[in-house]
Amino acid sequence: MSARHEDLKNGEGKVLADQHIALYRDAQGKLHALSSVCTHQACDVEWYGGVWDCPCHGSQFSPTGEVLQGPATRPLPPAKVPE
């Protein structure tokens, strides 16, 4: 497992900005990887208060990428977990 995400605790998320990947470790310890690029207008999301938040226009996504609040209408697509 990469040192870039082995320290991620259950329930936490972080963005690997240089790879445009959003990582989230669920309560069971499974690592999820999503594109960090908002599906509205391609800004990078940030982990904030337990959700992926787009600082550009306010879209919010669940930890696993589903749209919680628009203007985005499409979920964050899955990405490959980095090595």
Side-chain angles (χ1 to χ4, degrees), residues 10-66:
N10 292 5
E12 289 184 344
K14 75 176 184 181
V15 173
L16 303 179
D18 61 327
Q19 297 180 40
H20 298 287
I21 294 176
L23 297 173
Y24 167 71
R25 190 174 304 282
D26 66 25
Q28 292 73 39
K30 181 180 179 187
L31 190 64
H32 301 268
L34 305 164
S35 169
S36 66
V37 179
C38 180
T39 56
H40 175 239
Q41 288 190 347
C43 294
D44 275 319
V45 298
E46 300 171 349
W47 182 251
Y48 181 76
V51 298
W52 298 112
D53 183 71
C54 180
C56 294
H57 301 104
S59 292
Q60 289 188 335
F61 303 86
S62 75
T64 55
E66 293 82 16

